[in-house]
Amino acid sequence: MERAEEPVVYQKLLPWEPSLESEEEVEEEETSEVLVLNPWRHQDSSRNKAGGLPGTWARVVAALLLLAVGCSLAVRQLQNQGRSTGSLGSVAPPPGGHSHSPGVYHHGAIISPAATCSHLGRELLVAGGNVVDAGVGAALCLAVVHPHATGLGAMFWGLFHDSSSGNSTALTSGPAQTLAPGLGLPAALPTLHLLHARFGRLPWPRLLVGPTTLAQLGFLVDTPLARALVARGTEGLCPLLCHADGTPLGAGARATNPQLAAVLRRAALAPTSDLAGDALLSLLAGDLGVEVPSAVPRPTLEPAEQLPVPQGILFTTPSPSAGPELLALLEAALRSGAPIPDPCPPFLQTAVSPESSALAAVDSSGSVLLLTSSLNCSFGSAHLSPSTGVLLSNLVAKSTTSAWACPLILRGSLDDTEADVLGLVASGTPDVARAMTHTLLRHLAARPPTQAQHQHQGQQEPTEHPSTCGQGTLLQVAAHTEHAHVSSVPHACCPFQGF
């Protein structure tokens, strides 16, 4: 019975508590050591380089680890239920230390549409991971708990700024391709695996522990998913998201997806991005009775598009995302010197919004990861693969440019390794490029070039109250004065976690 209480000790360290944040490095190092999941360290030994944890005992250890993490995530979800301010983080000052505004952290932070996934991303940061580990882990979590907006069938765009090199890299799933009539080829697993393989720090299987556990043991339906089910209906979504009588699951109900958990377990063993995608593609082809495409688009990592501005340099994703359109709009607006349009154009508030999901991670050194993904519309094609538990998108070969995707990073100076970094990513806005242009122009107007060029960046605060047009969501992250900052519009739309 004594041994059974050990996961409780581990769980008590997971939620952010003011008492855990201290200026003393010794205390911070002790916290990190306790939270590192030791069983996964065997992945780095020569015995296990071929992948997986071989042997009966290793599988038992892995099973116990999944159970412990599952209990941790379940308890965390129950703690978030009915807590009006818990998702925004505690604002009480640490005993004996200085206090911070909500969303300001010493080391790193992550913000996403689901509290469970923000918490999982924070766990990865505390375990020694970087912003890529946290962002990819949270994205895989969202693929489980927010199937209306994203998933393994979604298309992904990303933007990563590496503070150590000063380089910004764009991530793309590749051009949309049709798997079957009206059904898009899934691209999430190879895309996220490629990003992690290039820039991640923790072992790839470690990132899939939490999402796999949520899919296997169950997750609580949150308000955004419950609302999407009511609006969309359950046709094609049962039994995954329905009660026995066919009615949709409501907020607080528990959903499981064991087929998706099995796919994630297979993907955890994939040594390359191609094999990570093949683990899903072969099963989908069997479900649909089609041949696996002989040539599929491959995800890519390439230098980000950029635009110099007086306040620094802007980075975004290339075509066919909306990134080039965003830079063209910004350049034209800055050249004209016209006043910022306010209020937002009416058509931005009335157009039909694509369903998409966004998240952002940042550390105090200035590394930033922005990820945005989409199934094209709510629940995508609403075609649920029975053997994989994956909802396929209806983003097919003839789909238009990804107008929902244009993550943006502003770095104060390429020559200054300690310059402030600002990241913006939006979702749910029908014309993201115009909405982001409006937001960034307001930010630049609050930070004149003379200040950016002649004042030390530590004296210039990031935008405290970002704004966006339409009914969408805007996430803002920043590295400023050796602290990580996170915020969102609407203010309480997206839970954040940090340490």
Side-chain angles (χ1 to χ4, degrees):
M1 297 302 293
E2 294 289 328
R3 293 290 180 183
E5 293 179 358
E6 290 182 358
V8 177
V9 175
Y10 172 77
Q11 166 59 21
K12 288 170 70 175
L13 290 173
L14 290 179
W16 182 84
E17 296 178 359
S19 60
L20 295 181
E21 185 171 343
S22 171
E23 292 181 290
E24 299 181 9
E25 290 299 320
V26 174
E27 183 177 346
E28 293 172 352
E29 291 173 2
E30 289 176 356
T31 302
S32 298
E33 289 178 3
V34 174
L35 292 178
V36 172
L37 299 181
N38 294 330
W40 286 100
R41 290 178 180 173
H42 295 291
Q43 299 265 345
D44 297 327
S45 67
S46 58
R47 179 185 177 194
N48 295 319
K49 284 183 179 178
L53 287 170
T56 303
W57 285 108
R59 284 194 291 270
V60 171
V61 172
L64 291 174
L65 175 62
L66 286 172
L67 181 60
V69 174
C71 294
S72 163
L73 292 170
V75 171
R76 178 63 182 177
Q77 280 197 313
L78 289 173
Q79 289 174 337
N80 286 328
Q81 289 294 313
R83 187 186 299 177
S84 60
T85 61
S87 65
L88 298 180
S90 174
V91 298
H98 64 279
S99 61
H100 288 297
S101 301
V104 181
Y105 300 94
H106 281 288
H107 300 290
I110 183 166
I111 183 168
S112 82
T116 299
C117 301
S118 295
H119 176 68
L120 187 148
R122 178 193 179 275
E123 279 189 308
L124 295 171
L125 288 172
V126 173
N130 58 20
V131 296
V132 171
D133 297 314
V136 170
L140 291 167
C141 172
L142 289 169
V144 177
V145 307
H146 273 189
H148 63 293
T150 185
L152 298 192
M155 176 174 283
F156 274 79
W157 290 90
L159 194 60
F160 170 58
H161 179 75
D162 185 349
S163 62
S164 60
S165 67
N167 295 329
S168 289
T169 303
L171 170 73
T172 172
S173 300
Q177 181 170 321
T178 302
L179 177 61
L183 303 177
L185 189 74
L189 281 174
T191 304
L192 295 174
H193 190 287
L194 175 65
L195 176 65
H196 173 266
R198 180 73 62 86
F199 299 112
R201 181 181 298 162
L202 297 176
W204 167 249
R206 173 66 181 88
L207 274 58
L208 284 92
V209 172
T212 302
T213 304
L214 286 167
Q216 184 68 49
L217 300 183
F219 60 93
L220 300 182
V221 174
D222 62 9
T223 300
L225 175 55
R227 288 175 177 169
L229 282 167
V230 170
R232 166 65 175 73
T234 59
E235 183 179 357
L237 304 179
C238 296
L240 176 62
L241 298 170
C242 307
H243 292 291
D245 60 1
T247 56
L249 297 179
R254 180 169 294 276
T256 60
N257 195 339
Q259 290 79 16
L260 180 57
V263 170
L264 293 172
R265 279 192 289 268
R266 291 181 60 182
L269 303 177
T272 67
S273 59
D274 290 346
L275 291 177
D278 292 345
L280 171 62
L281 191 54
S282 59
L283 293 173
L284 289 174
D287 277 351
L288 297 170
V290 299
E291 295 290 331
V292 176
S294 56
V296 299
R298 300 301 183 190
T300 61
L301 290 167
E302 56 188 280
E305 299 277 315
Q306 55 184 274
L307 174 68
V309 295
Q311 293 86 348
I313 187 164
L314 297 169
F315 300 95
T316 190
T317 47
S319 180
S321 78
E325 179 189 358
L326 169 63
L327 294 186
L329 289 169
L330 285 168
E331 187 173 19
L334 292 171
R335 282 181 177 178
S336 69
I340 302 169
D342 193 19
C344 299
F347 70 88
L348 290 178
Q349 300 172 355
T350 58
V352 176
S353 300
E355 189 67 54
S356 58
S357 180
L359 66 87
V362 61
D363 66 28
S364 57
S365 72
S367 289
V368 172
L369 176 66
L370 310 175
L371 284 175
T372 180
S373 58
S374 179
L375 294 166
N376 194 41
C377 58
S378 186
F379 297 100
S381 65
H383 180 94
L384 179 63
S385 165
S387 66
T388 67
V390 171
L391 282 164
L392 294 173
S393 78
N394 52 2
L395 284 163
V396 295
K398 294 183 179 179
S399 296
T400 59
T401 300
S402 301
W404 44 270
C406 59
L408 182 72
I409 287 175
L410 170 64
R411 175 168 177 163
S413 170
L414 287 180
D415 299 326
D416 186 355
T417 57
E418 298 182 356
D420 283 359
V421 178
L422 172 73
L424 298 171
V425 60
S427 65
T429 304
D431 193 335
V432 173
R434 292 184 181 275
M436 292 279 283
T437 299
H438 177 273
T439 300
L440 189 66
L441 288 175
R442 292 177 63 88
H443 174 81
L444 295 178
R447 189 185 188 211
T450 53
Q451 284 185 316
Q453 292 169 355
H454 300 300
Q455 288 187 352
H456 188 276
Q457 70 274 3
Q459 301 172 359
Q460 179 62 41
E461 292 287 341
T463 303
E464 294 184 2
H465 303 288
S467 61
T468 187
C469 298
Q471 305 301 316
T473 297
L474 174 70
L475 308 183
Q476 173 182 283
V477 296
H480 172 69
T481 61
E482 299 182 349
H483 284 71
H485 300 248
V486 290
S487 59
S488 66
V489 174
H491 175 63
C493 72
C494 300
F496 49 76
Q497 289 276 318
F499 79 106

